[in-house]
Structure formats: structure tokens, C-alpha cells
Amino acid sequence: MKTPRVDIFIFADALGWVQAEKRQFLSDLLPHRSKCDTILGYSCTCDPSILSGKMPHEHGHFSFFVFDPAHSPFGAAKWLGWLPDVVAAHHRVRNQVSKWWQKKLGYTGYFQLYSVPFRRLHWLDYTEKHDLYEPGGIIGGQEAIFAAWERSGKTWSRSDWRKDDQTNVERLIAELREGKVELSYLFTSKLDATMHAHGTTGPAVDAAFERFENWLREIEATAREHYDDVRIHLFSDHGMADTQHNSRMLKEFESLGLKYGTDYAAVWDSTMVRFWFPGGDAVRDRVMGWLQQRSEGRMLTDAELEENGCRFEDRRDGELWYLLKQGTIFAPSFMNQRNVPGMHGFDPQDPDSAACWLTNHDHYSTPPRIEQ
């Protein structure tokens, strides 16, 4: 006897609306399709919103790094500041140092030092200290959706975001064969990684989409064998854009001679930079004047931050924000030293930023944006 029903929720990191529709990705299997607005920021911004149903200023997550020297756990990093950035930012060095630091600090959330210069780390705090998917993981104290699943009394499962996609898919298929699970959340990230490495087109990207499609068809077929009603819901956090230009604003800004930590502080993400001004209004005015002369992007107003749910009253995530145009990234930045072929984190209204909702069930309403 088959189990009456299963709802399978599949998170596909960076599967944007543009790519889904351009490729007609699984249009036969998931015919009910909607474009979804993303929010300003990155996966570390979007994922807590997806899990909690709250905007960034409510759940407290925007970027991994913030200026907070009083609470920085990286005091010892300044002794590594003598290393050249190119050497210190090498991915093998960073991966090993990141693993060591995560273990030392006992962090259970996603943790990566990326290319943040060691000489800057002791000025910064890290925000995702705890696993977002577990109770207590979200800074604002909100529950993730899985708490509601637990209270529902239904049998549910969740894949491990630390595992690779194939491992998580194989685990889900095994669970479906048992016919016991009623709610399941599958986490996947390979499309994101592949498009970061290659852009949105090319043989490697085509292969990644084909592999993902084959997995989902196997999941659906397996579920049909063991359940009367199979409902599959595929969704993403944002899209992906091809990189067209690299901005060297970081290096050019540092030539102004302002002192980090005393005059100003900044976190240079891939597509935006956020400033703080311990040196006061005179430094702020000088930086604003300099930014106004740049053509790569624009300063974000408080109204724009408010609209995007990212205006934090305490300005913990930045006093002044500068966002690049779609297709331009900072290289170097605190995230990467060189060009990255595909990137997200641009204006949510840019064409390639939109996320998607794809399902085989027409009774599920799809809000264009998370409700505030």
C-alpha cells in the first residue's frame, strides 16, 4: 500500500528565473512556474529569510562580516598580516585556516574567511556563528520552518547542507523508497558553484543542469512508486549574472591614505562595499565625495535599504553602502582576488537577479516576494 502524500521542497541555490525559463528547465515535470523577487544581498541574506519568513532587518543576517572590533574573535589574525594578500588569500591556505578557526571558535554555521586580509580580520566579527537550520541558529531568534514541521506531527526529513548534492539526493531517494517521510527538504548548491566558476553558459554548466534534471526525474519517479500524491516544489534564493567587468576600486580607495579601523572600516563583498566611519563626519564626507566620482555603481539610499528590508537601526551592517551595476564585480575584494565568471548580489530589480518557484501542484500560491 502506498503512502497517501509527500511534499518535497527542493532548494536550488542560484537557479534564477532567467535560466530556468531560458532552458525550460523541467517544464514538463514542474509546469506551474513563477518568477520570484529576491532581496538585496547574498545567500547568507536570502537563506535566513527563506527559512524564517522574515526580512534581514528582522532576522539579523545580511553579510558574514561586520565591523565590530570589540567582539571580533580574530585577534590573533593580525600576526599574519605580514603575508602578501595574494599568498594569504590562496584558496588552499584559506580553507585550512578557516577549518582551524571554525573548530577553535566552535562555530556550527557556514564559515569561510574567503579573501578577507588577515590584517583586517581583528576589526571584524563574523555573523553566522550557528547553524541556521537548527534551533537557535537565526540571530533574531526566529524559528526556521522545520520547527513548524516538527509540531505538525508529520514525518519529515532535511538534507545536510554540508554534504555534496549527490549524497543528499541519494539519501532522499532512499527515504522515499521507504515510503515513510511526508515532508522533505533537499538542499543543493552545485548549480551555484558551477555558474560561479564558468558563468551561465558553456559545456560545464549544461552538464550541471542535465545532471540536476536527471536527479529530479529520479526523485519524482521513485516517489510515484511509493506515494499516491507527489508534490514537488523547486525554489531558489536568487539568480546569477555573467561577469563583464572587474573593478579595482578597493586598491584605488586604499591609495587615499585613510587608516583602516581609525578613520574608516569597510567590507568589500563581491558586488558591494559597506563602510563605517569611526573617524567621524569629515571622513564620511570625503568617502562620499570619492564614491560620487565613480561610475561602476551607486550609493544606496536609506529608502532603498528600507525597501529591501536591510536598513538596520544600529547600522551594524554598514553606515554607507555602495552597490555595483549588474555584471561588474570587485576584483580584488574580501571575497575573491581575481575574476569570478558568474556572480549574484546585485540590485534585486536587475534582470538576472530574480529567483524562481517551480512546482507540479497548482494549489500553492506564490507570493512575488516574502511578506513583511
Side-chain angles (χ1 to χ4, degrees):
M1 181 181 296
K2 292 184 179 181
T3 305
R5 170 178 159 185
V6 63
D7 278 273
I8 304 170
F9 296 88
I10 302 172
F11 171 73
D13 193 351
L15 177 57
W17 176 250
V18 169
Q19 286 301 312
E21 289 304 282
K22 182 185 297 183
R23 296 172 179 273
Q24 281 297 291
F25 183 70
L26 289 174
S27 57
D28 60 327
L29 186 66
L30 306 174
H32 306 289
R33 311 162 75 82
S34 298
K35 174 183 177 181
C36 296
D37 292 341
T38 188
I39 56 178
L40 181 67
Y42 305 92
S43 295
C44 56
T45 321
C46 299
D47 292 1
S49 291
I50 291 171
L51 294 173
S52 69
K54 300 298 181 180
M55 295 296 279
H57 75 277
E58 298 172 293
H59 60 60
H61 294 264
F62 182 78
S63 179
F64 289 130
F65 295 96
V66 295
F67 176 63
D68 190 354
H71 297 98
S72 175
F74 305 116
K78 59 186 176 182
W79 302 111
L80 299 174
W82 58 272
L83 288 171
D85 289 348
V86 174
V87 175
H90 192 280
H91 67 93
R92 291 179 181 174
V93 174
R94 284 290 163 146
N95 285 340
Q96 291 304 312
V97 174
S98 295
K99 289 177 181 178
W100 179 86
W101 230 304
Q102 182 173 27
K103 183 177 181 180
K104 176 179 181 292
L105 296 171
Y107 290 169
T108 58
Y110 176 83
F111 182 79
Q112 177 59 251
L113 292 176
Y114 291 100
S115 297
V116 181
F118 287 132
R119 67 182 182 279
R120 306 297 193 214
L121 270 173
H122 68 283
W123 297 104
L124 305 176
D125 191 13
Y126 193 84
T127 59
E128 197 170 309
K129 297 178 173 67
H130 306 291
D131 189 339
L132 299 174
Y133 293 79
E134 296 291 344
I138 296 176
I139 294 173
Q142 293 86 0
E143 292 182 334
I145 185 62
F146 309 110
W149 284 14
E150 182 67 25
R151 289 192 294 270
S152 74
K154 295 183 177 182
T155 304
W156 63 277
S157 70
R158 180 185 71 226
S159 60
D160 187 346
W161 57 267
R162 299 173 183 83
K163 303 291 186 181
D164 62 81
D165 289 1
Q166 182 167 339
T167 298
N168 283 331
V169 168
E170 290 174 350
R171 176 185 171 182
L172 172 58
I173 290 172
E175 291 171 342
L176 294 172
R177 286 181 178 140
E178 294 180 356
K180 296 179 181 179
V181 67
E182 298 170 273
L183 296 167
S184 186
Y185 187 99
L186 174 64
F187 178 95
T188 69
S189 60
K190 187 61 176 178
L191 290 180
D192 175 75
T194 304
M195 288 190 285
H196 274 311
H198 300 279
T200 62
T201 60
V205 179
D206 293 342
F209 271 92
E210 181 179 2
R211 181 170 55 249
F212 192 44
E213 178 176 336
N214 291 338
W215 280 337
L216 267 59
R217 292 192 184 279
E218 184 177 1
I219 288 169
E220 194 266 351
T222 303
R224 293 287 177 200
E225 293 176 4
H226 300 278
Y227 294 85
D228 291 321
D229 186 4
V230 176
R231 304 184 182 188
I232 298 177
H233 322 286
L234 175 65
F235 60 97
S236 60
D237 46 358
H238 49 68
M240 184 75 74
D242 291 311
T243 299
Q244 305 294 334
H245 304 286
N246 291 332
S247 169
R248 293 189 60 79
M249 272 181 64
L250 187 158
K251 292 297 184 184
E252 293 168 17
F253 179 84
E254 289 183 341
S255 69
L256 296 179
L258 296 173
K259 189 172 181 181
Y260 196 100
T262 302
D263 296 325
Y264 82 103
V267 171
W268 296 80
D269 292 311
S270 299
T271 64
M272 71 182 77
V273 54
R274 293 167 291 117
F275 291 94
W276 296 259
F277 299 103
D281 291 342
V283 179
R284 177 197 299 269
D285 292 344
R286 183 178 177 189
V287 171
M288 289 181 65
W290 187 84
L291 292 173
Q292 287 169 348
Q293 304 303 312
R294 308 296 305 197
S295 60
E296 295 97 321
R298 72 181 194 281
M299 288 181 280
L300 296 177
T301 66
D302 281 354
E304 288 177 295
L305 295 177
E306 184 79 35
E307 180 183 354
N308 284 283
C310 296
R311 187 176 182 274
F312 297 85
E313 291 299 327
D314 61 2
R315 304 292 183 172
R316 174 172 168 78
D317 279 78
E319 299 176 31
L320 175 63
W321 303 40
Y322 185 91
L323 178 66
L324 294 175
K325 299 174 183 177
Q326 179 175 294
T328 299
I329 67 170
F330 292 125
S333 73
F334 282 15
M335 298 290 109
N336 45 270
Q337 285 291 305
R338 299 178 179 85
N339 179 60
V340 180
M343 188 52 67
H344 48 79
F346 299 100
D347 190 319
Q349 301 305 312
D350 286 339
D352 290 319
S353 292
C356 67
W357 170 268
L358 316 177
T359 180
N360 65 349
H361 199 270
D362 61 357
H363 289 178
Y364 282 78
S365 61
T366 310
R369 188 170 188 175
I370 193 169
E371 296 181 2
Q372 298 189 54

mmCIF file of all heavy atoms in Angstrom, residues 40 85 115-116 120 123 126 132 139 151 169 175 179 207 217 228 232 259 288 291 302 311 326 337 339 342 345 351 372:
data_model
loop_
_atom_site.group_PDB
_atom_site.id
_atom_site.type_symbol
_atom_site.label_atom_id
_atom_site.label_comp_id
_atom_site.label_asym_id
_atom_site.label_seq_id
_atom_site.Cartn_x
_atom_site.Cartn_y
_atom_site.Cartn_z
ATOM 1 N N LEU A 40 18.006 42.119 -1.546
ATOM 2 C CA LEU A 40 19.374 42.610 -1.634
ATOM 3 C C LEU A 40 20.282 41.738 -0.765
ATOM 4 O O LEU A 40 19.964 41.442 0.387
ATOM 5 C CB LEU A 40 19.433 44.056 -1.148
ATOM 6 C CG LEU A 40 20.802 44.739 -1.186
ATOM 7 C CD1 LEU A 40 21.264 44.931 -2.629
ATOM 8 C CD2 LEU A 40 20.732 46.080 -0.462
ATOM 9 N N ASP A 85 48.728 39.656 0.284
ATOM 10 C CA ASP A 85 47.338 39.254 0.089
ATOM 11 C C ASP A 85 47.198 38.093 -0.879
ATOM 12 O O ASP A 85 46.369 37.192 -0.677
ATOM 13 C CB ASP A 85 46.517 40.443 -0.425
ATOM 14 C CG ASP A 85 46.296 41.498 0.649
ATOM 15 O OD1 ASP A 85 46.574 41.202 1.828
ATOM 16 O OD2 ASP A 85 45.851 42.610 0.306
ATOM 17 N N SER A 115 38.665 35.883 1.186
ATOM 18 C CA SER A 115 39.905 36.632 0.935
ATOM 19 C C SER A 115 40.047 37.847 1.838
ATOM 20 O O SER A 115 40.782 38.781 1.512
ATOM 21 C CB SER A 115 39.963 37.081 -0.534
ATOM 22 O OG SER A 115 40.008 35.975 -1.405
ATOM 23 N N VAL A 116 39.365 37.850 2.965
ATOM 24 C CA VAL A 116 39.494 38.974 3.893
ATOM 25 C C VAL A 116 40.954 39.062 4.338
ATOM 26 O O VAL A 116 41.510 38.089 4.843
ATOM 27 C CB VAL A 116 38.585 38.801 5.122
ATOM 28 C CG1 VAL A 116 38.726 40.007 6.048
ATOM 29 C CG2 VAL A 116 37.141 38.615 4.702
ATOM 30 N N ARG A 120 43.061 42.813 8.433
ATOM 31 C CA ARG A 120 41.780 43.459 8.696
ATOM 32 C C ARG A 120 40.893 42.650 9.639
ATOM 33 O O ARG A 120 39.945 43.193 10.212
ATOM 34 C CB ARG A 120 41.010 43.671 7.384
ATOM 35 C CG ARG A 120 41.751 44.415 6.286
ATOM 36 C CD ARG A 120 42.085 45.835 6.683
ATOM 37 N NE ARG A 120 42.515 46.633 5.537
ATOM 38 C CZ ARG A 120 43.419 47.583 5.604
ATOM 39 N NH1 ARG A 120 44.024 47.847 6.763
ATOM 40 N NH2 ARG A 120 43.749 48.284 4.533
ATOM 41 N N TRP A 123 39.456 43.548 13.174
ATOM 42 C CA TRP A 123 38.460 44.618 13.281
ATOM 43 C C TRP A 123 37.044 44.097 13.054
ATOM 44 O O TRP A 123 36.076 44.839 13.250
ATOM 45 C CB TRP A 123 38.740 45.713 12.236
ATOM 46 C CG TRP A 123 40.051 46.421 12.390
ATOM 47 C CD1 TRP A 123 41.168 46.241 11.653
ATOM 48 C CD2 TRP A 123 40.378 47.428 13.352
ATOM 49 N NE1 TRP A 123 42.183 47.062 12.073
ATOM 50 C CE2 TRP A 123 41.718 47.813 13.129
ATOM 51 C CE3 TRP A 123 39.672 48.049 14.389
ATOM 52 C CZ2 TRP A 123 42.357 48.775 13.881
ATOM 53 C CZ3 TRP A 123 40.312 49.016 15.144
ATOM 54 C CH2 TRP A 123 41.637 49.373 14.891
ATOM 55 N N TYR A 126 32.151 37.915 12.860
ATOM 56 C CA TYR A 126 31.506 37.005 11.915
ATOM 57 C C TYR A 126 30.097 36.729 12.411
ATOM 58 O O TYR A 126 29.890 36.470 13.599
ATOM 59 C CB TYR A 126 32.312 35.702 11.805
ATOM 60 C CG TYR A 126 31.916 34.824 10.642
ATOM 61 C CD1 TYR A 126 32.440 35.038 9.379
ATOM 62 C CD2 TYR A 126 31.006 33.779 10.815
ATOM 63 C CE1 TYR A 126 32.084 34.233 8.301
ATOM 64 C CE2 TYR A 126 30.641 32.974 9.749
ATOM 65 C CZ TYR A 126 31.185 33.201 8.493
ATOM 66 O OH TYR A 126 30.816 32.401 7.439
ATOM 67 N N LEU A 132 21.985 27.741 10.759
ATOM 68 C CA LEU A 132 20.689 28.365 10.519
ATOM 69 C C LEU A 132 19.545 27.366 10.548
ATOM 70 O O LEU A 132 18.406 27.730 10.861
ATOM 71 C CB LEU A 132 20.682 29.059 9.154
ATOM 72 C CG LEU A 132 21.677 30.192 8.915
ATOM 73 C CD1 LEU A 132 21.590 30.640 7.459
ATOM 74 C CD2 LEU A 132 21.405 31.355 9.856
ATOM 75 N N ILE A 139 19.923 34.757 14.139
ATOM 76 C CA ILE A 139 20.308 35.797 15.094
ATOM 77 C C ILE A 139 19.106 36.416 15.791
ATOM 78 O O ILE A 139 19.106 36.627 17.006
ATOM 79 C CB ILE A 139 21.124 36.907 14.390
ATOM 80 C CG1 ILE A 139 22.472 36.353 13.902
ATOM 81 C CG2 ILE A 139 21.352 38.092 15.324
ATOM 82 C CD1 ILE A 139 23.255 37.338 13.049
ATOM 83 N N ARG A 151 6.153 20.369 14.792
ATOM 84 C CA ARG A 151 4.870 20.470 15.509
ATOM 85 C C ARG A 151 3.710 19.869 14.718
ATOM 86 O O ARG A 151 2.677 19.522 15.292
ATOM 87 C CB ARG A 151 4.567 21.946 15.817
ATOM 88 C CG ARG A 151 5.468 22.551 16.890
ATOM 89 C CD ARG A 151 4.928 23.902 17.351
ATOM 90 N NE ARG A 151 4.966 24.905 16.293
ATOM 91 C CZ ARG A 151 5.997 25.716 16.066
ATOM 92 N NH1 ARG A 151 7.081 25.629 16.830
ATOM 93 N NH2 ARG A 151 5.947 26.608 15.095
ATOM 94 N N VAL A 169 20.938 13.808 -2.550
ATOM 95 C CA VAL A 169 19.934 13.229 -3.439
ATOM 96 C C VAL A 169 19.768 11.740 -3.159
ATOM 97 O O VAL A 169 18.642 11.222 -3.062
ATOM 98 C CB VAL A 169 20.313 13.472 -4.914
ATOM 99 C CG1 VAL A 169 19.436 12.631 -5.844
ATOM 100 C CG2 VAL A 169 20.178 14.941 -5.266
ATOM 101 N N GLU A 175 15.049 7.474 1.319
ATOM 102 C CA GLU A 175 13.923 7.761 2.214
ATOM 103 C C GLU A 175 12.590 7.572 1.503
ATOM 104 O O GLU A 175 11.627 7.040 2.085
ATOM 105 C CB GLU A 175 14.036 9.188 2.751
ATOM 106 C CG GLU A 175 15.200 9.395 3.710
ATOM 107 C CD GLU A 175 15.425 10.859 4.058
ATOM 108 O OE1 GLU A 175 14.914 11.738 3.320
ATOM 109 O OE2 GLU A 175 16.133 11.125 5.051
ATOM 110 N N GLY A 179 8.972 5.042 1.944
ATOM 111 C CA GLY A 179 7.593 5.486 1.926
ATOM 112 C C GLY A 179 7.079 6.033 3.244
ATOM 113 O O GLY A 179 5.869 6.051 3.481
ATOM 114 N N ALA A 207 26.156 20.581 -18.451
ATOM 115 C CA ALA A 207 26.270 19.273 -17.799
ATOM 116 C C ALA A 207 25.701 19.306 -16.384
ATOM 117 O O ALA A 207 25.057 18.349 -15.944
ATOM 118 C CB ALA A 207 27.734 18.832 -17.777
ATOM 119 N N ARG A 217 14.255 13.935 -11.867
ATOM 120 C CA ARG A 217 13.366 12.951 -12.502
ATOM 121 C C ARG A 217 13.413 11.620 -11.749
ATOM 122 O O ARG A 217 12.377 10.952 -11.608
ATOM 123 C CB ARG A 217 13.745 12.771 -13.975
ATOM 124 C CG ARG A 217 13.466 14.004 -14.814
ATOM 125 C CD ARG A 217 13.573 13.713 -16.301
ATOM 126 N NE ARG A 217 13.389 14.932 -17.081
ATOM 127 C CZ ARG A 217 12.211 15.468 -17.374
ATOM 128 N NH1 ARG A 217 11.095 14.876 -16.946
ATOM 129 N NH2 ARG A 217 12.127 16.578 -18.100
ATOM 130 N N ASP A 228 0.787 8.021 -3.309
ATOM 131 C CA ASP A 228 -0.348 8.308 -4.184
ATOM 132 C C ASP A 228 -0.281 9.728 -4.748
ATOM 133 O O ASP A 228 -0.606 9.963 -5.907
ATOM 134 C CB ASP A 228 -1.664 8.140 -3.415
ATOM 135 C CG ASP A 228 -1.949 6.685 -3.065
ATOM 136 O OD1 ASP A 228 -1.673 5.818 -3.912
ATOM 137 O OD2 ASP A 228 -2.430 6.429 -1.945
ATOM 138 N N ILE A 232 6.011 18.261 -5.744
ATOM 139 C CA ILE A 232 7.405 18.704 -5.790
ATOM 140 C C ILE A 232 7.429 20.212 -5.986
ATOM 141 O O ILE A 232 6.759 20.753 -6.871
ATOM 142 C CB ILE A 232 8.176 18.014 -6.929
ATOM 143 C CG1 ILE A 232 8.197 16.495 -6.696
ATOM 144 C CG2 ILE A 232 9.602 18.562 -7.027
ATOM 145 C CD1 ILE A 232 8.883 15.723 -7.806
ATOM 146 N N LYS A 259 43.141 55.560 7.246
ATOM 147 C CA LYS A 259 43.586 54.478 8.111
ATOM 148 C C LYS A 259 42.423 53.578 8.501
ATOM 149 O O LYS A 259 41.445 54.034 9.102
ATOM 150 C CB LYS A 259 44.254 55.041 9.370
ATOM 151 C CG LYS A 259 44.938 53.967 10.221
ATOM 152 C CD LYS A 259 45.738 54.581 11.347
ATOM 153 C CE LYS A 259 46.434 53.497 12.169
ATOM 154 N NZ LYS A 259 47.208 54.072 13.292
ATOM 155 N N MET A 288 32.243 59.805 0.639
ATOM 156 C CA MET A 288 31.077 60.018 -0.218
ATOM 157 C C MET A 288 31.452 60.811 -1.469
ATOM 158 O O MET A 288 31.003 60.489 -2.581
ATOM 159 C CB MET A 288 29.977 60.734 0.561
ATOM 160 C CG MET A 288 29.311 59.885 1.624
ATOM 161 S SD MET A 288 27.990 60.760 2.498
ATOM 162 C CE MET A 288 26.799 61.002 1.177
ATOM 163 N N LEU A 291 33.202 58.429 -3.824
ATOM 164 C CA LEU A 291 32.280 57.487 -4.447
ATOM 165 C C LEU A 291 31.415 58.139 -5.513
ATOM 166 O O LEU A 291 31.068 57.509 -6.515
ATOM 167 C CB LEU A 291 31.380 56.845 -3.377
ATOM 168 C CG LEU A 291 32.060 55.898 -2.390
ATOM 169 C CD1 LEU A 291 31.085 55.477 -1.304
ATOM 170 C CD2 LEU A 291 32.623 54.670 -3.109
ATOM 171 N N ASP A 302 18.879 55.404 2.207
ATOM 172 C CA ASP A 302 18.164 54.752 3.302
ATOM 173 C C ASP A 302 16.813 54.226 2.834
ATOM 174 O O ASP A 302 16.349 53.181 3.302
ATOM 175 C CB ASP A 302 17.962 55.730 4.465
ATOM 176 C CG ASP A 302 19.214 55.881 5.312
ATOM 177 O OD1 ASP A 302 20.192 55.142 5.066
ATOM 178 O OD2 ASP A 302 19.215 56.735 6.224
ATOM 179 N N ARG A 311 17.693 47.968 6.178
ATOM 180 C CA ARG A 311 18.083 49.154 6.943
ATOM 181 C C ARG A 311 18.072 48.795 8.430
ATOM 182 O O ARG A 311 17.027 48.760 9.071
ATOM 183 C CB ARG A 311 17.149 50.331 6.684
ATOM 184 C CG ARG A 311 17.630 51.627 7.337
ATOM 185 C CD ARG A 311 16.724 52.800 6.986
ATOM 186 N NE ARG A 311 17.207 54.046 7.557
ATOM 187 C CZ ARG A 311 16.925 54.463 8.793
ATOM 188 N NH1 ARG A 311 16.153 53.718 9.583
ATOM 189 N NH2 ARG A 311 17.403 55.610 9.249
ATOM 190 N N GLN A 326 24.944 45.467 -12.394
ATOM 191 C CA GLN A 326 24.966 44.056 -12.765
ATOM 192 C C GLN A 326 26.063 43.796 -13.791
ATOM 193 O O GLN A 326 26.226 44.538 -14.759
ATOM 194 C CB GLN A 326 23.623 43.636 -13.353
ATOM 195 C CG GLN A 326 23.600 42.168 -13.775
ATOM 196 C CD GLN A 326 22.244 41.714 -14.257
ATOM 197 O OE1 GLN A 326 21.300 41.662 -13.481
ATOM 198 N NE2 GLN A 326 22.130 41.380 -15.539
ATOM 199 N N GLN A 337 40.102 37.316 -5.056
ATOM 200 C CA GLN A 337 41.238 38.107 -5.508
ATOM 201 C C GLN A 337 41.194 38.382 -7.004
ATOM 202 O O GLN A 337 41.698 39.397 -7.466
ATOM 203 C CB GLN A 337 42.544 37.383 -5.174
ATOM 204 C CG GLN A 337 42.924 37.440 -3.703
ATOM 205 C CD GLN A 337 43.321 38.842 -3.266
ATOM 206 O OE1 GLN A 337 44.199 39.468 -3.843
ATOM 207 N NE2 GLN A 337 42.651 39.342 -2.234
ATOM 208 N N ASN A 339 39.039 37.508 -11.052
ATOM 209 C CA ASN A 339 37.743 37.452 -11.709
ATOM 210 C C ASN A 339 36.974 36.192 -11.332
ATOM 211 O O ASN A 339 37.540 35.107 -11.203
ATOM 212 C CB ASN A 339 37.935 37.482 -13.232
ATOM 213 C CG ASN A 339 36.622 37.411 -13.972
ATOM 214 O OD1 ASN A 339 35.758 38.269 -13.813
ATOM 215 N ND2 ASN A 339 36.457 36.382 -14.795
ATOM 216 N N GLY A 342 30.823 34.110 -12.873
ATOM 217 C CA GLY A 342 29.412 34.321 -12.584
ATOM 218 C C GLY A 342 29.229 34.854 -11.185
ATOM 219 O O GLY A 342 29.926 34.435 -10.252
ATOM 220 N N GLY A 345 24.087 39.009 -6.247
ATOM 221 C CA GLY A 345 24.231 40.021 -5.211
ATOM 222 C C GLY A 345 24.133 41.435 -5.755
ATOM 223 O O GLY A 345 24.642 42.376 -5.141
ATOM 224 N N PRO A 351 17.680 42.198 -14.156
ATOM 225 C CA PRO A 351 17.031 41.064 -14.824
ATOM 226 C C PRO A 351 17.468 39.692 -14.324
ATOM 227 O O PRO A 351 16.641 38.792 -14.152
ATOM 228 C CB PRO A 351 17.413 41.265 -16.300
ATOM 229 C CG PRO A 351 17.672 42.720 -16.424
ATOM 230 C CD PRO A 351 18.253 43.153 -15.107
ATOM 231 N N GLN A 372 6.283 41.002 4.453
ATOM 232 C CA GLN A 372 6.914 41.683 5.590
ATOM 233 C C GLN A 372 5.937 41.774 6.755
ATOM 234 O O GLN A 372 4.744 41.787 6.565
ATOM 235 C CB GLN A 372 7.369 43.074 5.175
ATOM 236 C CG GLN A 372 8.434 43.034 4.057
ATOM 237 C CD GLN A 372 9.017 44.397 3.831
ATOM 238 O OE1 GLN A 372 9.503 45.061 4.752
ATOM 239 N NE2 GLN A 372 9.011 44.856 2.599
#
